[in-house]
């Protein structure tokens, strides 16, 4: 019979963390570009396309974190009644959720994000078309964001605002930026954060 060791969950956490960071990179490189291609027939302005995708990323993380909190409360209530250790209940809860991802109703989060984008007056979409055209990106982001909450500490994304001072430690400038401009015109992709530290830089456009 194996005894519980604090190093075992730390190793599992580190391995899961590495996989999720790599997946975030892959989504940025693949699904994000696919979503841009899906939007271009309906939204001619590339700036608006990028704004929509950034908003989708922020909304996906928000929806997934809210869903995770609800799942965690339910799992913790159940496990607390039968948990015998030796690991802490919190560790057991996070591990259980990470191993039982079917507990997450990702379709509900995707629907919530699409509705939020459709109702956003700053993100116009032509009549007869809604943001379900990028639901693959949204689904991947929601799934990833949910799993990132099972880490200790969890991973999250930055949520920037237009007009903020450009922070080179948090963002790259997009190729079409004015590189002498000190302010962010709009965000293209969020930075990945851990306990307030930047893990992966995001991307912004700076203009005077």
């Amino acid at each position: 019979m194996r005894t519980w060791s604090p190093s075992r969950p730390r190793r599992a956490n580190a391995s899961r963390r590495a996989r999720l960071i790599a997946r975030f990179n892959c989504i940025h490189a693949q699904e994000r570009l696919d979503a841009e291609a899906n939007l271009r027939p309906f939204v001619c302005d590339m700036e608006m396309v990028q704004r929509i995708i950034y908003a989708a990323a922020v909304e996906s993380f928000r929806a997934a974190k809210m869903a995770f909190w609800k799942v965690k409360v339910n799992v913790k209530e159940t496990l607390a009644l039968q948990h015998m250790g030796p690991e802490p209940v919190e560790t057991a809860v996070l591990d259980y959720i990470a191993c039982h991802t079917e507990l997450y109703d990702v379709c509900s989060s995707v629907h919530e994000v699409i509705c939020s984008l459709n109702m956003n007056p700053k993100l116009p979409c032509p009549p007869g078309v809604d943001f379900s055209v990028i639901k693959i990106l949204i689904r991947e982001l929601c799934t990833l964001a949910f799993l990132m909450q099972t880490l200790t500490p969890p991973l999250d994304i930055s949520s920037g605002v237009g007009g903020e001072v450009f922070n080179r430690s948090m963002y790259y400038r997009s190729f079409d930026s004015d590189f002498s401009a000190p302010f962010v015109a709009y965000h293209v992709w969020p930075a990945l954060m851990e306990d307030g530290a930047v893990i992966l830089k995001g991307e912004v456009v700076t203009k005077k």
Side-chain angles (χ1 to χ4, degrees):
M1 181 178 179
R2 294 191 305 176
T3 58
W4 182 77
S5 168
S7 63
R8 192 175 302 137
R10 282 199 296 266
R11 289 196 299 271
N13 188 78
S15 176
R16 193 157 69 238
R17 176 182 180 274
R19 290 196 303 272
L20 294 175
I21 291 174
R23 181 65 188 129
F24 186 80
N25 256 332
C26 288
I27 291 175
H28 174 259
Q30 185 60 55
E31 281 86 351
R32 177 182 67 92
L33 297 181
D34 291 343
E36 285 185 2
N38 289 340
L39 280 170
R40 287 307 298 273
F42 311 107
V43 183
C44 297
D45 182 9
M46 188 59 187
E47 176 180 327
M48 183 54 64
V49 167
Q50 292 176 326
R51 286 178 180 272
I52 290 169
I53 289 175
Y54 178 77
V58 173
E59 282 298 311
S60 294
F61 267 76
R62 183 200 60 77
K65 287 189 294 183
M66 182 62 69
F68 178 83
W69 179 79
K70 294 176 181 178
V71 170
K72 184 180 177 182
V73 168
N74 291 333
V75 170
K76 194 169 186 177
E77 288 178 352
T78 302
L79 288 186
L81 298 175
Q82 54 191 12
H83 182 68
M84 302 297 290
E87 75 275 16
V89 174
E90 190 74 13
T91 300
V93 168
L94 295 179
D95 287 346
Y96 186 89
I97 296 174
C99 293
H100 295 81
T101 54
E102 70 277 4
L103 294 171
Y104 177 36
D105 182 4
V106 65
C107 292
S108 178
S109 288
V110 171
H111 177 72
E112 181 183 339
V113 172
I114 291 173
C115 287
S116 177
L117 295 176
N118 285 332
M119 292 187 296
N120 189 332
K122 295 181 179 180
L123 304 176
C125 208
V129 178
D130 69 16
F131 292 113
S132 61
V133 297
I134 58 170
K135 65 182 177 182
I136 293 175
L137 172 69
I138 293 169
R139 183 184 182 89
E140 292 302 315
L141 284 169
C142 286
T143 301
L144 180 68
F146 183 86
L147 289 174
M148 283 181 168
Q149 306 315 300
T150 66
L151 299 173
T152 307
L155 294 175
D156 201 355
I157 58 170
S158 61
S159 182
V161 293
E164 67 181 287
V165 176
F166 172 69
N167 182 347
R168 67 177 64 253
S169 66
M170 183 174 289
Y171 299 111
Y172 292 109
R173 279 186 170 96
S174 185
F175 73 93
D176 54 346
S177 293
D178 180 341
F179 281 73
S180 64
F183 300 108
V184 173
Y186 64 93
H187 296 73
V188 176
W189 192 249
L192 187 63
M193 312 290 291
E194 181 183 60
D195 254 0
V198 178
I199 304 300
L200 293 173
K201 287 185 180 183
E203 183 180 353
V204 298
V205 172
T206 55
K207 293 181 180 178
K208 289 183 179 179

